[in-house]
Amino acid sequence: MPHSSASELLLQPDMDFLRDLRDRAGDSFLRCYQCGTCAAVCPFARESLELPRREMLLAQWGQKHLLLNDPNLWVCTTCGNCARLCPREVDIPGTIAALREIAVLESAPPQELGKAFEHTLGRGNPLGEPARTRAAWTQDAGVEVPVMAQLARPVDVLFYVECYWSYHPRGRAAARAMARTLSALGVDFAILGQEERCVGDSQRLGGETGLFEELAQSNIDVFSRYDFRLLVTPDPHAFHALRKHYPALGWQGEVMHYSQFLEEQLPRLSLHPLPDVRVTYHDPCYLGRYSGIYDPPRQILASIPGLNLIEMEHSRENSLCCGGGGGGVWNSGFTATQVSERLSERRVREAVAAGAEVLVVACPFEVSLFEDAIKATGNEGRLVVRDIVELVDASLRA
């Protein structure tokens, strides 16, 4: 996008806007001294978007009008690589989220993102599907999947399915694999079924803080009605919110990402050999950089005979974002107008270049994102995408 002129940048700062931003995001953005590290490591650096360096400068200068009309504001996936390397420890993703919150209050977000917000508000999920079909995936699981309201007793594990595993066709396949794996382990588990609503972290990062708080309160009210020891979810974004944001709203329960849970259960799993295949693992931003979980998925893959794990150029702390975070999964059409190549397509090219035959994921957003990217990059027949629990389930049933 074109650079702002000097005259634009020398406009008088909007002090009310600055105070509002500091109230929402804290004042760490004022520490930015424009070293450019963030822009250099941003996954969109090759697009010359100056993201997020330009946004930090405009925020410091109180340039509300320029910021709220900045397309970069909606391209950012809040992947966190900028904050990881910032020498001044600026909370860049938090500042971007606060700017979006102000933008949502004063104008409309991009159309796709706004539609996801509307669906979530009306039906409890960004896909706009009815609550009554939230547990429809269980019908073909091949094992019993109890629902908390029907059990009327405590359980050990609440399997919090989240939206993409509940509704998306590929997500439902992974949900069934997880249910079969839990059953094979003899875990006493149940789901919430139609009482479950989206955890809401991506909505929060997309600027809809009020919607996030409404979702969180609804979910916490449901949690309070049941007795369970541990909540397990496949969604890194939900995992992050349940650990970092729900406690401030009144929920203090124990939560694990399903990769952590499955790694703990490895000694109890009878894993059989799969055909020899080269696999590579994609580190989700909100599981890796935000939550520090890198080894459990790799330990799971290393425990399945026949899988040869290879690493991509960007892995672990330096993993490349899939493009789905911060609401990006619902905003891909808008992002495509601003960039030459989607992040998911770039990641698929990395997996192919590494020599992988299977791209393994541990986030519900990623199977569909990467499968679309495989088609877009002409790599059908060279690479397939599998959720990590699909491989565990295949090994158990081999």
Side-chain angles (χ1 to χ4, degrees):
M1 62 181 299
H3 293 272
S4 299
S5 67
S7 60
E8 285 179 310
L9 290 176
L10 290 174
L11 294 172
Q12 288 296 316
D14 185 326
M15 299 307 297
D16 289 337
F17 166 72
L18 271 175
R19 283 189 287 269
D20 189 14
L21 182 57
R22 290 180 69 175
D23 287 344
R24 296 175 189 275
D27 59 5
S28 73
F29 70 93
L30 296 173
R31 296 198 297 267
C32 173
Y33 56 6
Q34 288 292 299
C35 68
T37 300
C38 58
V41 301
C42 175
F44 293 107
R46 65 169 58 188
E47 305 287 348
S48 301
L49 294 182
E50 300 180 24
L51 178 72
R53 183 183 184 184
R54 180 176 184 272
E55 285 61 46
M56 294 304 102
L57 177 63
L58 292 177
Q60 288 179 329
W61 283 54
Q63 298 299 301
K64 177 180 178 179
H65 175 73
L66 293 177
L67 274 168
L68 300 194
N69 288 280
D70 182 1
N72 285 5
L73 199 60
W74 305 105
V75 171
C76 174
T77 63
T78 67
C79 75
N81 205 30
C82 52
R84 177 178 72 92
L85 294 169
C86 177
R88 301 284 285 175
E89 298 183 347
V90 176
D91 180 11
I92 300 172
T95 305
I96 294 292
L99 289 168
R100 287 174 171 176
E101 184 180 358
I102 296 170
V104 167
L105 289 171
E106 301 206 7
S107 60
Q111 186 175 3
E112 291 171 292
L113 190 59
K115 198 69 174 176
F117 292 159
E118 290 175 15
H119 287 326
T120 308
L121 179 63
R123 296 201 162 186
N125 68 88
L127 292 83
E129 298 292 337
R132 69 177 182 277
T133 64
R134 195 169 188 112
W137 63 268
T138 65
Q139 297 170 6
D140 300 320
V143 295
E144 182 182 1
V145 183
V147 178
M148 288 295 298
Q150 298 169 4
L151 278 184
R153 66 169 176 80
V155 298
D156 189 48
V157 171
L158 175 63
F159 172 23
Y160 202 90
V161 186
E162 260 290 16
C163 301
Y164 273 70
W165 269 23
S166 295
Y167 293 116
H168 194 283
R170 284 294 282 114
R172 286 179 166 185
R176 295 183 190 111
M178 183 66 178
R180 289 191 292 266
T181 301
L182 291 172
S183 181
L185 285 164
V187 174
D188 180 24
F189 78 99
I191 64 173
L192 290 173
Q194 67 180 23
E195 288 187 286
E196 181 183 292
R197 299 181 77 196
C198 186
V199 166
D201 199 48
S202 292
Q203 288 85 342
R204 178 184 67 84
L205 292 164
E208 260 292 0
T209 306
L211 178 57
F212 166 73
E213 291 175 353
E214 180 182 328
L215 292 166
Q217 192 57 61
S218 174
N219 288 325
I220 290 170
D221 289 346
V222 173
F223 295 161
S224 69
R225 294 203 290 270
Y226 300 112
D227 188 1
F228 55 92
R229 178 187 65 85
L230 172 68
L231 186 152
V232 174
T233 182
D235 188 345
H237 305 272
F239 174 70
H240 170 76
L242 289 164
R243 289 174 64 238
K244 298 295 186 181
H245 299 286
Y246 271 49
L249 299 172
W251 187 68
Q252 302 289 336
E254 183 180 357
V255 58
M256 293 181 77
H257 186 255
Y258 75 142
S259 65
Q260 294 175 295
F261 182 80
L262 292 174
E263 185 204 24
E264 283 192 357
Q265 303 297 320
L266 283 175
R268 301 178 55 227
L269 287 170
S270 299
L271 297 173
H272 305 292
L274 295 177
D276 289 345
V277 65
R278 297 185 301 277
V279 304
T280 192
Y281 171 67
H282 167 76
D283 290 278
C285 301
Y286 275 77
L287 188 63
R289 279 189 287 270
Y290 279 85
S291 301
I293 298 173
Y294 299 104
D295 292 329
R298 290 173 169 81
Q299 290 296 326
I300 294 168
L301 294 174
S303 299
I304 300 176
L307 301 187
N308 177 24
L309 177 63
I310 55 180
E311 297 285 1
M312 286 180 276
E313 178 184 353
H314 295 85
S315 64
R316 301 182 76 92
E317 293 88 347
N318 194 37
S319 178
L320 182 66
C321 180
C322 73
V329 67
W330 314 313
N331 207 31
S332 60
F334 174 84
T335 301
T337 66
Q338 307 297 315
V339 301
S340 61
E341 182 178 54
R342 290 182 174 92
L343 295 182
S344 56
E345 295 168 9
R346 181 179 167 194
R347 193 58 161 162
V348 160
R349 295 186 196 279
E350 275 198 352
V352 172
E357 300 167 277
V358 179
L359 176 55
V360 183
V361 301
C363 171
F365 293 161
E366 290 166 355
V367 174
S368 59
L369 283 173
F370 286 140
E371 287 186 341
D372 288 345
I374 286 172
K375 296 174 184 176
T377 57
N379 281 297
E380 290 179 282
R382 300 183 66 186
L383 184 71
V384 296
V385 186
R386 293 291 181 268
D387 191 283
I388 194 167
V389 77
E390 291 181 312
L391 295 178
V392 171
D393 177 53
S395 178
L396 287 170
R397 301 167 74 189

Coordinates of all heavy atoms in Angstrom, one line a residue, residues 71-111:
P71 N -5.8 -1.0 5.9 CA -6.1 -2.4 5.6 C -5.2 -3.4 6.4 O -5.7 -4.5 6.7 CB -5.9 -2.5 4.1 CG -6.0 -1.1 3.6 CD -5.5 -0.2 4.7
N72 N -4.0 -2.9 6.7 CA -3.1 -3.8 7.5 C -3.7 -4.3 8.8 O -3.4 -5.3 9.3 CB -1.8 -3.1 7.8 CG -0.9 -2.9 6.6 OD1 -1.3 -3.3 5.5 ND2 0.3 -2.4 6.8
L73 N -4.6 -3.4 9.4 CA -5.2 -3.7 10.6 C -5.9 -5.1 10.6 O -6.0 -5.8 11.6 CB -6.1 -2.6 11.0 CG -6.5 -2.5 12.5 CD1 -5.3 -2.2 13.4 CD2 -7.5 -1.3 12.6
W74 N -6.5 -5.4 9.4 CA -7.3 -6.6 9.3 C -6.5 -7.7 8.6 O -7.0 -8.9 8.6 CB -8.5 -6.3 8.5 CG -9.3 -5.2 9.1 CD1 -9.4 -3.9 8.6 CD2 -10.0 -5.2 10.3 NE1 -10.1 -3.1 9.5 CE2 -10.6 -3.9 10.5 CE3 -10.3 -6.2 11.2 CZ2 -11.4 -3.6 11.6 CZ3 -11.1 -5.9 12.3 CH2 -11.6 -4.6 12.5
V75 N -5.3 -7.5 8.1 CA -4.5 -8.5 7.5 C -3.7 -9.3 8.6 O -3.6 -10.5 8.5 CB -3.5 -7.9 6.5 CG1 -2.5 -9.0 6.1 CG2 -4.2 -7.4 5.3
C76 N -3.3 -8.6 9.7 CA -2.5 -9.2 10.8 C -3.3 -10.4 11.3 O -4.5 -10.4 11.6 CB -2.3 -8.2 11.9 SG -1.5 -8.8 13.3
T77 N -2.5 -11.5 11.6 CA -3.1 -12.7 12.1 C -2.8 -12.9 13.6 O -3.1 -13.9 14.2 CB -2.5 -14.0 11.4 OG1 -1.1 -14.0 11.6 CG2 -2.9 -13.9 9.9
T78 N -2.2 -11.8 14.2 CA -1.7 -11.9 15.6 C -0.9 -13.1 15.9 O -1.0 -13.7 17.0 CB -2.9 -11.8 16.6 OG1 -3.7 -13.0 16.5 CG2 -3.8 -10.6 16.3
C79 N 0.0 -13.5 15.0 CA 0.7 -14.7 15.1 C 1.7 -14.7 16.3 O 2.2 -15.7 16.8 CB 1.4 -15.1 13.8 SG 2.9 -14.1 13.4
G80 N 2.2 -13.4 16.7 CA 3.0 -13.3 17.8 C 4.5 -13.3 17.6 O 5.3 -13.2 18.5
N81 N 4.9 -13.5 16.3 CA 6.4 -13.6 16.1 C 7.0 -12.3 16.3 O 8.2 -12.2 16.7 CB 6.6 -14.1 14.6 CG 8.0 -14.8 14.5 OD1 8.5 -15.3 15.5 ND2 8.6 -14.7 13.3
C82 N 6.3 -11.2 16.0 CA 6.8 -9.8 16.3 C 7.1 -9.6 17.7 O 8.2 -9.1 18.1 CB 5.9 -8.8 15.7 SG 4.2 -9.0 16.3
A83 N 6.1 -10.0 18.6 CA 6.3 -9.8 20.0 C 7.4 -10.7 20.6 O 8.1 -10.3 21.5 CB 4.9 -10.0 20.7
R84 N 7.5 -11.9 20.0 CA 8.5 -12.8 20.5 C 9.9 -12.2 20.4 O 10.8 -12.4 21.3 CB 8.5 -14.1 19.7 CG 9.5 -15.1 20.1 CD 9.4 -16.4 19.3 NE 9.7 -16.2 17.9 CZ 10.9 -16.5 17.4 NH1 11.9 -16.9 18.2 NH2 11.2 -16.3 16.1
L85 N 10.2 -11.4 19.4 CA 11.5 -10.9 19.1 C 11.7 -9.4 19.4 O 12.8 -8.8 19.2 CB 11.9 -11.1 17.6 CG 12.1 -12.6 17.3 CD1 12.1 -12.8 15.8 CD2 13.3 -13.2 18.0
C86 N 10.6 -8.7 19.8 CA 10.7 -7.3 20.1 C 11.6 -7.0 21.2 O 11.4 -7.5 22.3 CB 9.3 -6.7 20.4 SG 9.3 -5.0 20.8
P87 N 12.7 -6.2 21.0 CA 13.6 -5.9 22.0 C 13.1 -5.0 23.1 O 13.7 -4.9 24.2 CB 14.8 -5.1 21.3 CG 14.1 -4.5 20.1 CD 13.1 -5.5 19.7
R88 N 11.9 -4.4 22.9 CA 11.3 -3.5 23.9 C 10.1 -4.1 24.5 O 9.4 -3.5 25.3 CB 10.9 -2.2 23.2 CG 12.0 -1.4 22.6 CD 12.9 -0.7 23.7 NE 12.2 0.5 24.2 CZ 12.7 1.2 25.2 NH1 13.8 0.9 25.8 NH2 12.0 2.3 25.6
E89 N 9.8 -5.4 24.2 CA 8.7 -6.2 24.8 C 7.4 -5.5 24.6 O 6.6 -5.4 25.5 CB 9.0 -6.5 26.2 CG 10.3 -7.4 26.4 CD 10.5 -7.7 27.9 OE1 9.8 -7.2 28.8 OE2 11.3 -8.6 28.1
V90 N 7.2 -5.0 23.4 CA 5.9 -4.3 23.1 C 4.8 -5.4 22.9 O 5.1 -6.4 22.1 CB 6.0 -3.4 21.9 CG1 4.7 -2.8 21.5 CG2 7.0 -2.3 22.1
D91 N 3.7 -5.3 23.4 CA 2.6 -6.2 23.2 C 1.9 -5.8 21.9 O 0.9 -5.2 21.8 CB 1.6 -6.2 24.3 CG 0.4 -7.1 24.1 OD1 0.5 -8.0 23.2 OD2 -0.6 -7.0 24.9
I92 N 2.6 -6.2 20.8 CA 2.1 -5.8 19.5 C 0.7 -6.5 19.1 O -0.2 -5.8 18.7 CB 3.1 -6.1 18.4 CG1 4.4 -5.3 18.7 CG2 2.6 -5.7 17.0 CD1 5.6 -5.6 17.8
P93 N 0.6 -7.8 19.3 CA -0.7 -8.4 19.0 C -1.9 -7.8 19.9 O -3.0 -7.6 19.4 CB -0.5 -9.9 19.4 CG 0.9 -10.1 19.2 CD 1.6 -8.8 19.7
G94 N -1.6 -7.5 21.2 CA -2.6 -6.8 22.0 C -2.9 -5.5 21.5 O -4.1 -5.1 21.6
T95 N -2.0 -4.7 21.0 CA -2.3 -3.4 20.5 C -3.1 -3.5 19.2 O -4.1 -2.7 19.0 CB -0.9 -2.6 20.2 OG1 -0.1 -2.6 21.4 CG2 -1.2 -1.2 19.7
I96 N -2.8 -4.4 18.4 CA -3.6 -4.6 17.1 C -5.0 -5.0 17.5 O -6.0 -4.5 16.9 CB -2.9 -5.7 16.2 CG1 -1.6 -5.3 15.7 CG2 -3.9 -6.1 15.1 CD1 -1.6 -4.2 14.7
A97 N -5.2 -5.9 18.5 CA -6.5 -6.3 18.9 C -7.3 -5.1 19.4 O -8.5 -5.0 19.2 CB -6.4 -7.4 19.9
A98 N -6.6 -4.3 20.2 CA -7.3 -3.1 20.8 C -7.7 -2.1 19.7 O -8.8 -1.5 19.7 CB -6.4 -2.4 21.8
L99 N -6.8 -1.9 18.7 CA -7.2 -1.1 17.6 C -8.4 -1.6 16.8 O -9.3 -0.8 16.4 CB -6.0 -0.9 16.6 CG -4.8 -0.1 17.2 CD1 -3.6 -0.3 16.3 CD2 -5.2 1.4 17.2
R100 N -8.4 -2.9 16.6 CA -9.6 -3.5 16.0 C -10.8 -3.3 16.8 O -11.9 -3.1 16.2 CB -9.3 -5.0 15.8 CG -8.3 -5.3 14.7 CD -8.0 -6.8 14.6 NE -7.2 -7.2 13.5 CZ -6.8 -8.4 13.3 NH1 -7.0 -9.4 14.1 NH2 -6.0 -8.7 12.2
E101 N -10.7 -3.4 18.1 CA -11.9 -3.2 19.0 C -12.4 -1.8 18.8 O -13.7 -1.6 18.6 CB -11.5 -3.4 20.4 CG -12.6 -3.3 21.4 CD -12.2 -3.6 22.8 OE1 -11.0 -3.8 23.1 OE2 -13.0 -3.5 23.7
I102 N -11.6 -0.8 18.7 CA -12.0 0.6 18.5 C -12.6 0.7 17.1 O -13.7 1.3 16.9 CB -10.8 1.5 18.6 CG1 -10.3 1.5 20.1 CG2 -11.3 3.0 18.3 CD1 -9.0 2.3 20.3
A103 N -12.0 0.0 16.1 CA -12.5 0.1 14.7 C -13.9 -0.5 14.6 O -14.8 0.0 13.9 CB -11.5 -0.6 13.8
V104 N -14.1 -1.7 15.3 CA -15.4 -2.4 15.3 C -16.5 -1.5 15.9 O -17.6 -1.4 15.4 CB -15.3 -3.7 16.0 CG1 -16.7 -4.3 16.2 CG2 -14.5 -4.7 15.1
L105 N -16.1 -0.8 16.9 CA -17.1 0.1 17.6 C -17.5 1.3 16.8 O -18.6 1.8 16.8 CB -16.5 0.6 18.9 CG -16.4 -0.5 20.1 CD1 -15.6 0.1 21.2 CD2 -17.8 -0.9 20.5
E106 N -16.5 1.8 15.9 CA -16.8 3.0 15.2 C -17.1 2.8 13.7 O -17.6 3.7 13.0 CB -15.5 3.9 15.3 CG -15.2 4.2 16.8 CD -14.5 5.6 16.9 OE1 -14.3 6.3 15.9 OE2 -14.1 5.9 18.1
S107 N -16.8 1.6 13.2 CA -17.1 1.4 11.8 C -17.3 -0.1 11.6 O -17.3 -0.9 12.6 CB -16.0 1.9 10.9 OG -14.7 1.3 11.2
A108 N -17.4 -0.6 10.4 CA -17.6 -2.0 10.1 C -16.3 -2.7 9.8 O -15.5 -2.1 9.1 CB -18.6 -2.2 8.9
P109 N -16.1 -3.9 10.3 CA -15.0 -4.7 9.9 C -15.2 -5.2 8.5 O -16.2 -5.0 7.9 CB -15.0 -5.9 10.9 CG -16.5 -6.1 11.2 CD -17.0 -4.7 11.2
P110 N -14.2 -5.8 7.9 CA -14.4 -6.4 6.6 C -15.6 -7.4 6.6 O -15.9 -8.0 7.6 CB -13.1 -7.2 6.3 CG -12.0 -6.5 7.1 CD -12.8 -6.0 8.4
Q111 N -16.2 -7.5 5.4 CA -17.5 -8.1 5.3 C -17.5 -9.6 5.9 O -18.4 -10.0 6.6 CB -18.0 -8.1 3.9 CG -19.4 -8.7 3.7 CD -19.9 -8.5 2.3 OE1 -19.2 -8.1 1.4 NE2 -21.2 -8.9 2.1

